[in-house]
Amino acid sequence: MKQLVVNDELIMTTEALKVHFKAIKRKKRKFPKFKSVVLGGDNTFLCDYMLNAVANANSKFKVFEYVEYLSNGNENDNRKKILDETGVTSIHYNYYEECTPLIENTLFYFFIDCNSLTEKDETITELKKILNLLKEKAKNKLVLSVILPQIPFFSNGPTSLAERELSFYLEKHCNKTEELKYYFEIEKLLREKVGEGRLDVTLLRFDNIFSPDFYRTPCVDFKALVEESVSNKKVVITDDDYKRKFTISYIRDACENIFLSAINAKGGHIYNVASKEVTVADI
């Protein structure tokens, strides 16, 4: 049953992107003239859904001449399955380094989950390689999607913070976990590289994000909520459940936002991305 639900969501995410691909193909939506789209990053489920959706949508509406996947030779079984089913060309990072002067009119979608530290060093190295590719040609673009680690609640703080104000607050006032340090390292690297070469880089920050088969929601434990409801045979909502607000994204919305950021987002900017603001009581 679970796999049926996952397959259904893979199809629905693809259908959501097909709407935009169709509009681009019929020139009803402006889109930069990218020749290729290249996806890569660590083994986050966000990359899996986006890779599947882009490959299948492009097979129907040929927006890109090539859809490619940057491989480090360490793909999980799910990633391998998607690559096999979509027929996406898998290319090792080393090949791209050797062909740097030939890389132009290319859109890169790169994914990092800061909660996963096992591939940290390798992922940072791969990100640096892509940033070096961007320096060679002005018509290349990188959209980097990052799943943030646990962010502290602002109990008595402002209702909203600009992206740089949030970064400053986190850097100066929060206890830095290894996961937060990972994120700060990424942001610092991007700011340095963009400052040096005016690179076309957009950073998207996701906090709580979920799909039928996986979730990364540090603000709420979905599994615990379901188990507690089943155990008690009722749903218990407390006053505190109405007080704690946080943002959350569903995988289908996330993939649409990631794709459209290549059109709507400005290079050199950071965006906080979410489907909606909710409370535990809402869920």
Side-chain angles (χ1 to χ4, degrees):
M1 176 62 80
K2 178 181 178 180
Q3 191 57 48
L4 288 174
V5 175
V6 171
N7 290 340
D8 183 60
E9 188 53 45
L10 286 168
I11 292 171
M12 294 302 294
T13 304
T14 298
E15 292 301 316
L17 257 62
K18 279 183 179 179
V19 173
H20 303 296
F21 273 67
K22 183 178 180 180
I24 293 168
K25 194 65 177 178
R26 295 186 175 182
K27 302 187 185 302
K28 293 183 178 181
R29 181 187 290 276
K30 291 184 179 180
F31 192 74
K33 294 183 179 179
F34 294 116
K35 183 177 182 180
S36 303
V37 58
V38 181
L39 298 94
D42 62 20
N43 282 320
T44 172
F45 71 110
L46 188 53
C47 182
D48 293 339
Y49 275 88
M50 190 66 179
L51 178 62
N52 180 80
V54 168
N56 285 301
N58 196 67
S59 65
K60 178 71 174 179
F61 304 100
K62 200 74 173 177
V63 171
F64 304 101
E65 288 187 39
Y66 306 101
V67 178
E68 299 172 337
Y69 170 72
L70 278 179
S71 170
N72 58 13
N74 189 34
E75 285 68 52
N76 58 26
D77 292 339
N78 192 52
R79 187 75 49 84
K80 291 176 181 176
K81 181 174 181 289
I82 290 173
L83 290 170
D84 289 341
E85 292 178 349
T86 58
V88 171
T89 303
S90 182
I91 301 175
H92 200 277
Y93 282 88
N94 294 340
Y95 173 82
Y96 259 77
E97 277 193 297
E98 295 167 2
C99 300
T100 295
L102 304 177
I103 308 302
E104 58 182 356
N105 298 313
T106 299
L107 171 61
F108 293 91
Y109 287 118
F110 200 77
F111 304 87
I112 299 177
D113 182 356
C114 290
N115 299 278
S116 177
L117 300 175
T118 55
E119 302 175 19
K120 174 188 171 184
D121 293 340
E122 191 172 51
T123 301
I124 290 291
T125 299
E126 293 162 358
L127 177 59
K128 288 179 179 178
K129 290 177 181 178
I130 293 179
L131 291 171
N132 288 334
L133 293 177
L134 299 184
K135 289 197 296 185
E136 296 294 326
K137 297 286 183 178
K139 295 181 180 180
N140 294 331
K141 180 179 181 63
L142 168 64
V143 176
L144 174 60
S145 300
V146 172
I147 302 178
L148 295 171
Q150 174 78 57
I151 300 297
F153 281 96
F154 301 113
S155 56
N156 298 310
T159 56
S160 63
L161 292 172
E163 55 91 0
R164 192 61 187 122
E165 291 172 331
L166 174 60
S167 299
F168 179 81
Y169 179 89
L170 294 175
E171 289 181 63
K172 299 298 181 182
H173 301 290
C174 296
N175 294 325
K176 294 190 180 75
T177 63
E178 289 304 312
E179 290 80 6
L180 271 174
K181 289 179 182 178
Y182 187 10
Y183 170 73
F184 293 138
E185 183 177 351
I186 293 167
E187 186 175 308
K188 181 181 178 182
L189 173 63
L190 294 184
R191 292 186 184 280
E192 290 176 350
K193 293 295 183 180
V194 170
E196 291 172 4
R198 298 181 63 83
L199 308 185
D200 191 354
V201 178
T202 297
L203 174 60
L204 306 181
R205 299 194 291 209
F206 294 88
D207 49 4
N208 298 283
I209 183 169
F210 68 102
S211 69
D213 57 328
F214 197 87
Y215 62 90
R216 184 74 74 186
T217 54
C219 285
V220 58
D221 190 335
F222 277 114
K223 184 178 180 182
L225 282 177
V226 173
E227 289 179 347
E228 183 180 352
S229 298
V230 172
S231 175
N232 296 333
K233 296 183 179 180
K234 61 180 179 179
V235 177
V236 179
I237 300 177
T238 66
D239 289 340
D240 288 340
D241 291 335
Y242 287 99
K243 295 177 182 178
R244 292 182 58 182
K245 292 184 178 180
F246 53 90
T247 53
I248 196 165
S249 296
Y250 188 55
I251 188 67
R252 198 183 311 166
D253 300 328
C255 287
E256 281 195 86
N257 285 323
I258 292 168
F259 177 72
L260 292 175
S261 64
I263 305 172
N264 301 326
K266 295 181 179 179
H269 285 64
I270 299 174
Y271 295 87
N272 300 315
V273 185
S275 301
K276 60 179 68 177
E277 184 180 76
V278 298
T279 66
V280 174
D282 295 328
I283 293 174

